[in-house]
Amino acid sequence: MLASDDQDDGLNLLNLSFASEIVELVVFSTDDAFLQTLREAVGTARRIWHVPSADKVSDLLLAGQVGILVLDVQALPEDLGVFVAQLKRQFPDLVLVVAGSRDAENSLAKLISTGIVYRFIHKPMSPGRAKLFAEAAVKKYEERRRMATPSGTGKGTGAGAGAGNQRLLMVTAAGLLVAGITTWVLLRHGASVPEAPARPAAVEGSSALQPSPLARADTALAESRLTAPDGDGALDLYRQALAANPADAAARTGLAEVHEQLWTKAQNALLEERLDEAATAIDTARKAGVDLARIALLTGRLAKSRERLRSAARPRPPDDAPPAEPSADDRRRTGLLSLAEARIKEGRLIDSENDSARFYVQEALRIDPANNAVQAAKQTLAAALLAGARTDLDRRNFDQASRLLDAAESIASAANVENTRQLLGAARRRADADAWDQLLKTGRERLQQDRLVEPATDSAKYYLMTLRGANPGNAGLPSALQDLGLRLIGNARRALDLKQYDAARNWMDEATAVGFSSTESGALSRELESAVNQQKFLTSIVAANELELVKSVTPLYPTKAEVSHTEGWVELDFTVAENGEVKDIALHAANPRGVFESAAIGALSRWRYKPVLKDAKPAAQRARIRIRFALAGHS
């Protein structure tokens, strides 16, 4: 309902309604036609209050109760921009919608492009358009309130944050004196208008003399240079800042603001039915990287608006003419488009061969490719496919993103598909780089943990060799493999010193497998080979009686053993050298111990054998002999 101008207790009722969170629209206007349009637009969904004086408006603003302000500027003088800018500066949380002529829009162009004015409505406006703008403002207000509301508290910090319903303040300036109005409305209760923060003076030789991309981007954004000129618009400059520092929160926030303003510009053009301008703005927003789901929404609405205009331009049949009977193709086309729309909403774009949005759109194109509704469905599907590809791309589900792009080949424009493919390629390269960095990092961690080759799939060798297979030119790989090789050779050296020849060989083989080679590893390999050959020689023993004895010496019987009538034997291992001499005698066994060993070794050392021939050449041979010690008369 509308409160009348002479209702003395209107503001009291308004405050009561605010307290109980009932009031939804507050109107300050002397324009009856404007109020009537608003009433028709809102219907019974919201209550409308008419506030008759400016001081009551200022009371509401300063009390922080109003979240949305719609300002009708038809009676404001030329300094409208100053008034709006100061109003927004004093109440930054307001969602400000302005209604007026195209001339007024031109005077506010900068404030509109920078987002200070959220929407501009051309007057006169229809109830339908008024409703669209009101709903957009409410949605924007809700978004801001959610952003300002701490999780779980249900209470925000922005204007109107505590209210459960949206409050719209709709104002016309008819009857207001602009002289002093800004000060009166904004400063009536002692509030001050904040000045823009002063920039620090540039210091000679400092970076302030050459602004950073981020500073230049902020300036471009403030001057509404969103995408132009190339390389010096806010979009390109924020991207440069992020390329230099991907974690720069200020650059990310600035880029998000550029996206928001580009999307808003496209949406405003659609609401004003400036369709060619909207198409250009949508394309610019898409190329700038605005979320493709939002682009798909605008693209679908653009297609519907164009079809509506075409339908309105077609000649209407006489009122008494019977309605034309739809043909079989018409009915089939309508059914296919209905199914396509349903599948798009369900997200079933390509998954089922004969029950997907792509299938139904292609069937409709086969029946009537020139039909406007079919073309609109094609555009909607194209946007959905590209949006889905971008979503999967962000999730690093690259295979599914590639499938969606393959499906979009004959649906979306070649340029859009190619642009998204380039994004997919770049994302894959980033993902590969991240994976390679992780392999290198984990490999180095396993080196520090001395987990060189075990476990087989969680060791330094596993991660570094996997990295070498995936990215052999990785800059960090050579040093990591060098470290691994040195550690493997170190383990081989320790095993060799402990005469653990099999273990030493295994460590050497692991070093060779990772491609490690050094002077030390070569020397160690030769030492190991020599040690292994020596071990084989020492363990390849033949019985002494198999050799041809040339000279023997009878060992002396130890005196103590003889006196004590002690008998026994000694078993010795020895080498028959290439010249037949006996060398390297080693005790193998004796009985009893410590009695006959010296006598046996002393005698055997003077024995001579005929040299052993191998391949017709004298060669050393290891042998074993048992020398018995028995007293005369004893068996």
Side-chain angles (χ1 to χ4, degrees):
M1 66 180 182
L2 293 176
S4 65
D5 287 352
D6 58 356
Q7 184 175 346
D8 295 334
D9 59 347
L11 188 59
N12 291 331
L13 292 174
L14 181 61
N15 289 333
L16 177 62
S17 297
F18 274 132
S20 57
E21 299 185 349
I22 296 174
V23 174
E24 299 192 15
L25 282 83
V26 179
V27 180
F28 175 57
S29 176
T30 59
D31 187 340
D32 292 337
F34 185 64
L35 293 174
Q36 183 61 29
T37 299
L38 293 175
R39 182 167 58 182
E40 293 178 17
V42 174
T44 59
R46 293 185 177 86
R47 300 174 66 185
I48 297 179
W49 291 85
H50 179 203
V51 180
S53 65
D55 64 332
K56 294 178 181 179
V57 174
S58 66
D59 286 340
L60 290 175
L61 289 172
L62 292 170
Q65 293 292 343
V66 177
I68 303 171
L69 170 63
V70 177
L71 175 64
D72 182 353
V73 299
Q74 66 180 2
L76 285 175
E78 294 179 356
D79 56 353
L80 168 63
V82 176
F83 171 73
V84 171
Q86 290 183 340
L87 183 66
K88 183 66 175 180
R89 285 169 60 192
Q90 181 66 13
F91 302 99
D93 291 333
L94 280 177
V95 176
L96 182 60
V97 179
V98 179
S101 64
R102 286 192 179 273
D103 290 339
E105 181 185 20
N106 292 335
S107 69
L108 293 174
K110 184 173 181 179
L111 298 178
I112 295 171
S113 64
T114 57
I116 292 176
V117 173
Y118 175 62
R119 292 287 189 273
F120 191 93
I121 312 171
H122 289 154
K123 292 183 64 180
M125 61 180 177
S126 66
R129 284 178 55 219
K131 182 178 181 181
L132 288 174
F133 276 98
E135 289 176 348
V138 168
K139 183 177 180 181
K140 184 66 175 180
Y141 172 69
E142 289 176 338
E143 291 175 356
R144 290 187 178 178
R145 187 172 60 176
R146 282 195 298 270
M147 292 176 63
T149 303
S151 177
T153 65
K155 297 180 179 180
T157 60
N165 298 332
Q166 293 73 39
R167 283 77 179 255
L168 276 72
L169 175 64
M170 314 204 67
V171 182
T172 61
L176 292 180
L177 294 177
V178 129
I181 189 170
T182 303
T183 304
W184 181 53
V185 173
L186 304 184
L187 307 181
R188 182 171 177 268
H189 295 284
S192 60
V193 178
E195 295 295 331
R199 293 183 177 272
V203 179
E204 184 176 358
S206 71
S207 61
L209 296 176
Q210 296 179 343
S212 66
L214 181 58
R216 291 165 57 203
D218 291 340
T219 300
L221 181 61
E223 295 174 356
S224 302
R225 292 186 285 108
L226 301 181
T227 59
D230 288 344
D232 199 36
L235 177 68
D236 291 338
L237 290 169
Y238 280 126
R239 284 176 171 173
Q240 290 177 31
L242 283 173
N245 180 13
D248 191 330
R252 289 184 178 278
T253 300
L255 185 60
E257 180 60 26
V258 171
H259 287 170
E260 183 66 24
Q261 290 192 26
L262 289 172
W263 187 82
T264 298
K265 183 176 180 181
Q267 188 181 46
N268 281 342
L270 270 176
L271 289 172
E272 292 293 336
E273 296 188 348
R274 304 191 302 273
L275 301 189
D276 290 341
E277 181 183 333
T280 301
I282 291 171
D283 189 55
T284 300
R286 177 188 58 75
K287 291 178 180 178
V290 173
D291 180 58
L292 282 180
R294 303 178 83 185
I295 296 297
L297 174 65
L298 293 181
T299 302
R301 287 171 55 188
L302 175 62
K304 290 181 180 179
S305 295
R306 282 177 166 164
E307 175 61 21
R308 185 173 64 254
L309 290 179
R310 292 190 190 99
S311 299
R314 297 190 190 106
R316 298 181 61 184
D319 292 339
D320 56 351
E325 184 69 23
S327 66
D329 281 350
D330 289 339
R331 291 193 297 271
R332 176 161 171 72
R333 182 187 65 237
T334 301
L336 288 169
L337 295 182
S338 177
L339 288 168
E341 182 180 6
R343 296 300 175 268
I344 290 174
K345 289 180 179 178
E346 295 166 359
R348 295 165 57 183
L349 303 181
I350 62 172
D351 292 337
S352 176
E353 182 178 355
N354 296 320
D355 187 24
S356 65
R358 183 170 183 266
F359 170 77
Y360 293 124
V361 169
Q362 287 181 324
E363 285 295 296
L365 286 167
R366 186 178 59 81
I367 294 172
D368 191 357
N371 181 269
N372 290 327
V374 173
Q375 286 298 316
K378 179 182 176 182
Q379 291 182 19
T380 302
L381 175 59
L385 287 169
L386 293 175
R390 282 290 299 274
T391 298
D392 284 318
L393 186 154
D394 292 340
R395 295 173 179 171
R396 296 195 170 188
N397 188 359
F398 300 133
D399 291 340
Q400 178 63 10
S402 183
R403 289 183 60 219
L404 290 172
L405 288 177
D406 290 342
E409 286 286 357
S410 60
I411 302 295
S413 72
N416 289 346
V417 174
E418 179 57 27
N419 287 341
T420 309
R421 283 200 186 280
Q422 290 178 4
L423 292 174
L424 174 59
R428 274 181 160 154
R429 289 190 292 273
R430 286 195 300 273
D432 287 343
D434 290 345
W436 298 335
D437 288 345
Q438 187 59 48
L439 285 171
L440 182 62
K441 178 183 177 182
T442 308
R444 285 173 170 163
E445 288 175 351
R446 297 299 178 268
L447 283 172
Q448 297 305 314
Q449 297 164 359
D450 203 32
R451 293 162 60 176
L452 305 184
V453 297
E454 295 293 341
T457 58
D458 188 24
S459 63
K461 177 188 175 184
Y462 170 79
Y463 292 113
L464 296 180
M465 295 303 287
T466 300
L467 176 58
R468 188 169 75 175
N471 183 26
N474 187 279
L477 184 60
S479 62
L481 285 175
Q482 180 75 6
D483 188 5
L484 174 59
L486 290 172
R487 290 170 184 266
L488 291 170
I489 291 299
N491 285 354
R493 166 62 67 186
R494 285 189 288 275
L496 178 59
D497 292 343
L498 295 172
K499 297 184 179 181
Q500 298 171 351
Y501 302 131
D502 288 342
R505 173 60 61 194
N506 288 339
W507 289 119
M508 291 290 295
D509 290 343
E510 292 289 359
T512 301
V514 301
F516 180 79
S517 178
S518 69
T519 303
E520 182 183 359
S521 66
L524 183 61
S525 180
R526 292 189 292 273
E527 289 182 40
L528 177 60
E529 191 68 28
S530 176
V532 169
N533 290 336
Q534 180 67 13
Q535 184 185 50
K536 289 180 180 179
F537 172 76
L538 293 176
T539 56
S540 178
I541 300 174
V542 299
N545 58 13
E546 295 180 13
L547 305 177
E548 185 175 345
L549 183 63
V550 175
K551 171 188 174 183
S552 65
V553 175
T554 302
L556 296 175
Y557 210 103
T559 303
K560 288 184 178 181
E562 185 176 11
V563 171
S564 63
H565 302 285
T566 300
E567 297 182 336
W569 51 265
V570 176
E571 198 166 79
L572 301 171
D573 291 340
F574 62 97
T575 297
V576 177
E578 290 86 341
N579 60 2
E581 292 182 1
V582 173
K583 295 182 177 180
D584 301 327
I585 301 172
L587 176 66
H588 181 69
N591 184 35
R593 300 281 292 188
V595 178
F596 302 108
E597 289 92 330
S598 295
I601 292 173
L604 181 60
S605 64
R606 290 182 288 166
W607 288 19
R608 295 290 182 273
Y609 284 88
K610 184 177 180 179
V612 176
L613 298 179
K614 292 182 180 179
D615 298 327
K617 294 181 180 180
Q621 175 64 53
R622 197 70 173 161
R624 180 174 294 165
I625 189 171
R626 176 175 286 192
I627 299 176
R628 295 183 178 276
F629 289 81
L631 296 170
H634 290 256
S635 57

